[in-house]
């Protein structure tokens, strides 16, 4: 049989997997273009990059253009440029953009005007009241701490953040033909598209500058986008791992500590200053940027409150109420050192995955709208603004995904039936480079597949092996290093 190395193609990026099968950017990727070290960038270099960008640059984009400069050094130099009046900082958090002070019309920009809530999202009168308060300068808003009554007053299936009519509307919008199928059937059917859209949109809300096409190239082919920083690439890969974790473990995943902590661990991997903070309760106080809200600071208090939160979440019977409850209460508690909102956005999808409803991908959700809606929860313990945004965002998602689902080919029943065998066989072949692939496939099929299906299943496994590349290694529990060694063996 012909060797399979020629069909696999060259590896264009390397993504390591540790003992828990989590994605980590390999040093060889970080040291390759576009991250190859160059002479240290100066403040003048940063200013020049910002001045040449018509709409300014985020910190992530600046670091992507100047990979030789450390993040904290860049932040210090940017702060100096702002103080000197050479650039202006617009926006909040990771979405903040640095714009040349000499940019056209800069003098006409009013404080905060670049960060207004988009007018195309319909809002109730209650939401308008929240927005009016949040739009005030920070100095005009009253400092507030965590309000225990906000969670304690919630009674699952008695208290409702979403009205009965809204829940009914959401169910109608999100219903799929898989509604009566086993949990997770729909999310598995759309997984390839879901990985791209949700990873991109959720990362975009954190200021990530990857385009949708860049995200697709990274997820499907393991190809990092040129000119982007390692942090942005890692963020996308972490989303992919986290979504796969939820979908592949849909039968056992729930709104519990195990699922939540492992979800956070997947999203936070290689992104936190202290790796020990991945997937564990926050051990220190945190501040919320541009907010007067101060979350709980004692780990024991946080842990006890999280247990109550998860107990109540698990008791909620309506998928959308359960989803929205997590969107509200998890970021409000801030149980982790960072990456709380990302965790809540994916956790909010778990009830929808289980119910075979369309996912909430956050496509087209503006960062400034999401930021203000969460501030309404943080500073006022009011959910109306986030509720209106949730309903609008879900309608956008369903319009996209119901159209996609109509065009999807039905899953191959044979591939679905022998999914585990295909994975086990490919893993066995790659992790044992010395064995003959065809012989291994024939043996596995003969042992487990009925005679009348053996030829078809064998052909399926051969096709999968031919298509094997670095972008799908996680599917088979393989590390890039194992794939490289196997390819070398096939060329000999």
């Amino acid at each position: 049989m012909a060797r399979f190395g020629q069909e696999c193609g060259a590896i264009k990026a390397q993504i390591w997997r540790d003992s828990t099968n989590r994605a980590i950017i390999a040093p060889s990727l970080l040291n390759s273009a576009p991250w190859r070290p160059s002479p240290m960038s100066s403040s003048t270099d940063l200013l020049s990059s910002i001045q040449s960008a018509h709409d300014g640059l985020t910190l992530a984009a600046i670091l992507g253009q100047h990979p030789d400069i450390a993040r904290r050094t860049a932040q210090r130099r940017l702060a100096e440029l702002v103080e000197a009046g050479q650039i202006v900082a617009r926006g909040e958090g990771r979405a903040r953009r640095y714009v040349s002070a000499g940019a056209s019309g800069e003098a006409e920009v009013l404080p905060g005007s670049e960060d207004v809530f988009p007018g195309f999202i319909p809002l109730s009168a209650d939401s308008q009241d929240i927005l009016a308060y949040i739009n005030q300068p920070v100095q005009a808003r009253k400092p507030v701490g965590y309000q225990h009554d906000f969670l304690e007053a919630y009674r699952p299936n008695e208290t409702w953040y979403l009205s009965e009519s809204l829940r009914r509307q959401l169910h109608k919008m999100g219903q799929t033909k898989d509604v009566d199928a086993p949990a997770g059937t729909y999310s598995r059917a759309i997984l390839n598209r879901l990985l791209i859209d949700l990873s991109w949109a959720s990362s975009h809300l954190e200021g990530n500058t990857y385009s949708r096409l860049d995200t697709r190239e990274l997820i499907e082919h393991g190809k990092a986008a040129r000119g982007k920083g390692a942090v942005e690439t890692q963020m996308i890969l972490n989303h992919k791992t986290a979504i796969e974790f939820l979908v592949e473990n849909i039968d056992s995943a729930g709104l519990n500590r195990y699922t939540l902590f492992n979800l956070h661990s997947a999203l936070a991997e290689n992104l936190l200053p202290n790796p020990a903070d991945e997937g564990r309760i926050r051990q220190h106080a945190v501040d919320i940027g541009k907010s007067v809200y101060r979350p709980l600071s004692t780990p024991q208090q946080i842990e006890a409150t999280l247990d109550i939160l998860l107990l109540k979440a698990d008791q909620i019977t309506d998928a959308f109420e359960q989803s929205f409850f997590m969107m509200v209460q998890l970021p409000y508690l801030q149980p982790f050192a960072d990456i709380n909102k990302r965790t809540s956005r994916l956790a909010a999808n778990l009830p929808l995955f289980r119910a075979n409803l369309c996912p909430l991908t956050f496509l087209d959700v503006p960062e400034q709208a999401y930021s203000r809606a969460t501030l309404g929860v943080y500073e006022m313990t009011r959910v109306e603004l986030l509720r209106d945004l949730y309903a609008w965002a879900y309608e956008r998602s369903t319009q996209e995904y119901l159209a996609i689902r109509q065009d999807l080919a039905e899953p191959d029943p044979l591939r679905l039936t022998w999914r585990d065998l295909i994975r086990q066989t490919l893993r066995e072949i790659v992790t044992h480079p010395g064995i003959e692939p065809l012989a291994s496939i024939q043996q596995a099929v003969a042992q487990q597949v009925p005679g009348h299906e053996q030829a078809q299943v064998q052909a399926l496994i051969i096709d999968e092996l031919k298509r094997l590349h670095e972008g799908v290694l996680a599917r088979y529990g393989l590390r890039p290093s194992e794939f490289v060694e196997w390819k070398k063996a096939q060329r000999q």
Side-chain angles (χ1 to χ4, degrees):
M1 176 182 176
R3 296 291 186 179
F4 288 91
Q6 296 177 346
E7 286 89 359
C8 295
I11 291 184
K12 298 177 181 176
Q14 294 184 43
I15 303 167
W16 284 0
R17 293 269 167 181
D18 62 13
S19 58
T20 61
N21 196 35
R22 302 182 304 169
I24 303 175
I25 300 293
S28 58
L29 176 59
L30 299 184
N31 292 332
S32 64
W35 296 302
R36 186 173 291 112
S38 59
M40 180 65 71
S41 299
S42 65
S43 296
T44 302
D45 295 329
L46 299 188
L47 178 60
S48 177
S49 295
I50 294 169
Q51 289 175 335
S52 63
H54 177 71
D55 295 323
L57 297 172
T58 63
L59 176 59
I62 292 169
L63 293 174
Q65 293 188 17
H66 301 275
D68 54 288
I69 188 171
R71 186 182 186 88
R72 290 189 177 181
T73 302
Q75 289 174 321
R76 185 182 72 251
R77 291 179 179 173
L78 289 169
E80 292 170 352
L81 290 170
V82 170
E83 186 175 355
Q86 294 179 282
I87 63 173
V88 175
R90 296 179 176 178
E92 302 175 5
R94 288 186 172 88
R96 172 174 292 181
R97 305 185 76 83
Y98 295 92
V99 182
S100 171
S104 176
E106 180 61 43
E108 299 298 321
V109 177
L110 298 175
S113 64
E114 71 283 350
D115 233 4
V116 297
F117 195 97
F120 54 79
I121 299 175
L123 297 179
S124 64
D126 288 335
S127 294
Q128 295 284 4
D129 289 342
I130 296 171
L131 199 55
Y133 178 80
I134 295 301
N135 278 340
Q136 296 180 99
V138 172
Q139 299 83 350
R141 308 198 305 262
K142 179 182 177 182
V144 61
Y146 183 86
Q147 305 296 304
H148 290 276
D149 289 348
F150 185 42
L151 177 61
E152 291 174 359
Y154 188 91
R155 297 288 182 266
N157 309 313
E158 297 178 15
T159 304
W160 299 98
Y161 288 153
L162 306 177
S163 67
E164 181 180 358
S165 60
L166 179 55
R167 297 196 309 273
R168 188 165 54 245
Q169 178 185 354
L170 292 170
H171 276 281
K172 184 177 180 180
M173 286 192 298
Q175 188 172 14
T176 70
K177 67 178 183 179
D178 296 318
V179 63
D180 296 321
T185 298
Y186 182 75
S187 57
R188 289 191 183 101
I190 62 168
L191 181 58
N192 290 342
R193 181 65 179 267
L194 177 65
L195 288 173
I196 296 167
D197 288 347
L198 184 50
S199 296
W200 172 73
S202 180
S203 297
H204 186 69
L205 287 174
E206 301 300 324
N208 195 300
T209 61
Y210 259 70
S211 69
R212 206 164 170 181
L213 181 59
D214 291 336
T215 302
R216 179 177 179 176
E217 285 296 303
L218 178 61
I219 288 177
E220 292 187 348
H221 305 295
K223 184 179 179 181
R226 295 182 62 83
K228 303 299 181 183
V231 170
E232 294 187 284
T233 302
Q234 186 76 62
M235 187 188 297
I236 298 288
L237 292 174
N238 287 359
H239 273 85
K240 175 180 181 289
T241 300
I243 297 165
E244 288 175 333
F245 164 71
L246 290 179
V247 174
E248 292 177 1
N249 296 277
I250 199 71
D251 293 329
S252 58
L255 297 180
N256 51 47
R257 288 173 64 97
Y258 173 81
T259 300
L260 189 67
F261 284 19
N262 280 274
L263 183 62
H264 178 265
S265 177
L267 287 166
E269 182 184 9
N270 210 22
L271 291 178
L272 297 181
N274 182 4
D277 285 331
E278 298 172 7
R280 77 165 182 179
I281 292 292
R282 172 165 52 85
Q283 303 296 303
H284 52 79
V286 294
D287 288 330
I288 308 296
K290 300 287 186 178
S291 177
V292 295
Y293 171 59
R294 300 294 178 264
L296 293 174
S297 58
T298 307
Q300 293 80 5
Q301 284 185 310
I302 298 170
E303 188 157 12
T305 305
L306 180 62
D307 286 339
I308 296 171
L309 187 160
L310 292 174
L311 178 63
K312 293 193 174 192
D314 188 56
Q315 294 173 352
I316 299 172
T317 56
D318 183 87
F320 288 104
E321 179 72 15
Q322 195 177 43
S323 168
F324 187 65
F325 179 87
M326 294 301 290
M327 285 271 292
V328 169
Q329 290 289 351
L330 194 64
Y332 182 62
L333 177 59
Q334 293 280 305
F336 304 112
D338 196 2
I339 309 183
N340 291 281
K341 288 189 291 187
R342 268 169 269 179
T343 304
S344 75
R345 290 195 290 270
L346 265 62
N349 267 292
L350 181 57
L352 310 183
F353 292 168
R354 293 182 62 86
N356 288 318
L357 292 160
C358 279
L360 173 58
T361 61
F362 300 93
L363 289 172
D364 301 323
V365 173
E367 188 279 333
Q368 62 268 37
Y370 182 74
S371 174
R372 274 164 167 66
T374 53
L375 283 177
V377 175
Y378 291 165
E379 300 187 14
M380 304 175 73
T381 61
R382 289 184 57 179
V383 305
E384 293 92 341
L385 185 57
L386 186 60
R387 177 203 63 199
D388 289 351
L389 180 62
Y390 180 94
W392 180 86
Y394 190 69
E395 183 175 12
R396 300 287 291 183
S397 293
T398 58
Q399 290 170 349
E400 182 89 10
Y401 272 79
L402 289 177
I404 291 171
R405 189 67 178 95
Q406 293 172 359
D407 296 332
L408 287 177
E410 287 298 317
D412 184 339
L414 197 65
R415 189 183 298 273
L416 189 60
T417 300
W418 298 104
R419 182 169 175 261
D420 291 339
L421 174 63
I422 294 171
R423 293 187 175 191
Q424 292 166 5
T425 305
L426 262 64
R427 177 172 172 75
E428 180 72 14
I429 290 171
V430 175
T431 56
H432 296 82
I435 65 175
E436 171 59 38
L438 183 57
S440 180
I441 293 172
Q442 289 173 335
Q443 181 180 359
V445 170
Q447 290 176 348
Q448 301 188 48
V449 181
H452 68 283
E453 291 184 343
Q454 287 183 3
Q456 292 173 285
V457 175
Q458 181 174 309
L460 279 178
I461 300 176
I462 291 173
D463 286 342
E464 288 289 312
L465 190 56
K466 287 181 178 180
R467 287 195 295 266
L468 191 64
H469 60 83
E470 66 274 12
V472 297
L473 296 181
R475 181 185 303 171
Y476 306 104
L478 294 169
R479 296 190 296 270
S481 58
E482 293 172 327
F483 184 44
V484 170
E485 288 302 315
W486 177 74
K487 286 186 65 183
K488 287 180 180 178
Q490 299 308 301
R491 287 195 289 266
Q492 294 174 357

